[in-house]
């Protein structure tokens, strides 16, 4: 049986600002943006080619904004990915201070 992680919560202070950052600057795809009720807004974003998405919104997590640290984004060419992010004005964190790292895996045999 496969066990897969497919959704990681990213705690943010301003959902619209964070969504714009991840979509317009980082390059994630906006999958869903649904206001379920007054206390619950569900925004799901997915990195290009990823089976795992991130979720942010209101009523999603009790973590304070900026407290998600160490998410790994796996890419085939870390130098090219870093260059692309730098050209878009993106460092290794979002506007709230949530951090991630780029990781290039060695070829699998």
């Amino acid at each position: 049986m496969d066990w897969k992680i497919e959704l990681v919560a990213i705690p943010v202070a301003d959902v619209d600002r964070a969504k714009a950052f991840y979509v317009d600057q980082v390059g994630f795809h906006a999958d869903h943006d649904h206001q379920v009720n007054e206390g619950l807004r569900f925004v799901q974003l997915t990195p290009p080619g990823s089976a795992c998405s991130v979720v942010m919104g209101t009523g999603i997590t009790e973590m304070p904004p900026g407290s998600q640290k160490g998410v790994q984004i796996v890419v085939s060419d870390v130098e090219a990915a870093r260059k692309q992010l730098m050209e878009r004005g993106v460092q290794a964190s979002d506007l709230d201070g949530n951090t991630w790292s780029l990781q290039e895996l060695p070829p699998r045999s």
Side-chain angles (χ1 to χ4, degrees), residues 16-93:
D16 291 319
R17 180 183 75 154
K19 178 183 175 186
F21 172 80
Y22 279 98
V23 172
D24 299 337
Q25 285 186 259
V26 182
F28 285 20
H29 180 264
D31 302 320
H32 305 285
D33 186 342
H34 184 66
Q35 185 78 42
V36 178
N37 57 47
E38 190 173 303
L40 182 60
R41 178 179 174 193
F42 185 88
V43 178
Q44 181 175 323
L45 311 173
T46 304
S50 180
C52 185
S53 301
V54 299
V55 63
M56 60 189 64
T58 53
I60 298 295
T61 181
E62 294 182 14
M63 293 185 294
S67 64
Q68 183 65 277
K69 307 292 184 193
V71 172
Q72 297 287 306
I73 300 178
V74 179
V75 296
S76 60
D77 183 336
V78 73
E79 292 302 322
R82 183 176 182 280
K83 181 181 179 203
Q84 182 179 17
L85 289 173
M86 296 296 283
E87 289 172 350
R88 295 178 179 178
V90 177
Q91 301 296 317
S93 67

